[in-house]
Amino acid sequence: MRRRRYQKGSLQERRHGKKRVWVVQYYDADGHHRYHTLGRMCDLSKSQAVEKQSEFMRTINGGEATEDPIRPVLVSEFVNQVYLPFQRGKWKDSTKDTSEQRIRVHLLQELGHDQIGGFSPSGLQAFLERKAATMSFSVVDHLRWDLGSLFEMAVAEKVIAVNPATTLYTPKAAKTGPCRVMTANDVEVALGAVAWREELILRLAIFSGFRPGELLAFRRRHVGSGGNSIEVEQRIYRGNLDSPKNGKTRIVAIPSSTAGMLCEWMNAAVEADPNAWIFASEAGETPVGRDNLLRRNIRPRLEKVGLGWVDFKVMRRTNASLGKNAKVDPKASADQRGHGIGVSLDVYTKTSIEGKAEAAQQLEDSVLGRKVVPIRQEKAS
């Protein structure tokens, strides 16, 4: 069977005499450039032409019987030529790096040489079960999402007729690691263990809920009068500036003591230029790197006080969890961190055993009205 790459084809406008027509360019079995006329532009809108392009390219890619049969599309071909180029257009750099690596390492290495139309729900679920035996819940859950997205696009491109990944679930065997949060005492110990700059960074992360990429991308012009607020209009990822994670700017409030400390730091260590970085690197031309900051300046100090497990994810969960304990309005807390209230409660907020005990006590009190209920004693026979 002749081997040929999967093709989308190229939709173009051409003039045939006095008529303008839609054509699709593609390569034939011998690698020669060919085109196929879809119809006149006066008779077909662009969306209709795209539909006809997809129908024609299915015959070229082997989706229908032809005189020149071609093997079906492989997963690796569809991912590399269609799926990833499309997704890169909307993924941010951080998402692109992690998602592409996960897809290439886990999906393509095991499924890449299989035909994209040859999967069943049970076969894909078995793949997730194998991954769950050795991988974390987070990785397996992301793979489940990747499969659904991949096959959904294959349906949209008319490479396959039905999405076999719609009923997949994350296996129970997937390992869920502990999502630790800091207690109020942990926070006090951590703040006392690090240097001045790092204490300010920890305060901003824990009390105001900044993401590390946002926190390290602050310039002097982003800080409000008196240090009581900071505008998040950009973030930094691996040295590259980008828009915030959800694409929206927001104003984050800074508590008074931290605001005072921020102003002291700016007066002592930040240039007067509005574009000066609040937390600059040694050279001063770029912000300090997140990984270097954590590895060199924060974690060694925290390890000495038994808090070496703390990172920026822990600080963000701590912001949500301690805020709940302090009865902070959940919507205001979520807006501070820059995500929806559902994510705030389901992902970031962790309830302490004391909080659970209080909830149980409140329920009992509401039912029994704080009345002492006598313990029933069995009558002697």
Side-chain angles (χ1 to χ4, degrees), residues 207-353:
F207 297 141
S208 293
F210 289 110
R211 298 179 178 92
E214 298 169 346
L215 199 158
L216 300 178
F218 295 151
R219 299 179 187 267
R220 177 178 279 273
R221 59 184 169 84
H222 295 136
V223 181
S225 177
N228 292 319
S229 66
I230 295 179
E231 180 182 13
V232 178
E233 70 166 20
Q234 62 186 17
R235 66 169 182 161
I236 191 164
Y237 178 75
R238 295 187 177 179
N240 297 318
L241 286 174
D242 197 359
S243 59
K245 186 171 183 178
N246 57 11
K248 299 179 180 179
T249 62
R250 71 184 193 279
I251 304 294
V252 179
I254 310 300
S256 57
S257 64
T258 301
M261 187 175 183
L262 174 59
C263 289
E264 291 179 9
W265 170 258
M266 292 172 61
N267 291 334
V270 181
E271 296 179 5
D273 185 346
N275 289 318
W277 301 107
I278 299 300
F279 302 110
S281 63
E282 294 182 1
E285 298 179 356
T286 59
V288 65
R290 182 195 66 180
D291 294 337
N292 285 339
L293 177 71
L294 188 65
R295 184 177 63 252
R296 298 175 182 175
N297 304 99
I298 296 178
R299 184 156 283 164
R301 298 286 190 95
L302 295 185
E303 286 176 347
K304 293 179 180 180
V305 293
L307 296 174
W309 46 271
V310 172
D311 58 17
F312 284 108
K313 288 183 179 179
V314 171
M315 297 179 207
R316 215 160 136 76
R317 287 198 296 266
T318 298
N319 172 270
S321 302
L322 293 186
K324 178 178 180 295
N325 294 346
K327 295 181 170 44
V328 174
D329 178 72
K331 182 64 168 66
S333 181
D335 288 345
Q336 279 278 94
R337 290 187 297 277
H339 54 223
I341 192 169
V343 173
S344 174
L345 295 176
D346 294 338
V347 178
Y348 287 94
T349 304
K350 307 300 176 184
T351 305
S352 66
I353 187 61

Side-chain angles (χ1 to χ4, degrees), residues 172-232:
K172 295 179 180 179
K175 301 175 182 178
T176 54
C179 293
R180 302 181 69 174
V181 297
M182 304 170 73
T183 65
N185 183 65
D186 289 337
V187 173
E188 291 184 10
V189 171
L191 295 180
V194 296
W196 183 23
R197 180 187 67 173
E198 286 70 42
E199 180 185 353
L200 176 57
I201 289 173
L202 263 61
R203 279 172 168 264
L204 291 171
I206 294 171
F207 297 141
S208 293
F210 289 110
R211 298 179 178 92
E214 298 169 346
L215 199 158
L216 300 178
F218 295 151
R219 299 179 187 267
R220 177 178 279 273
R221 59 184 169 84
H222 295 136
V223 181
S225 177
N228 292 319
S229 66
I230 295 179
E231 180 182 13
V232 178

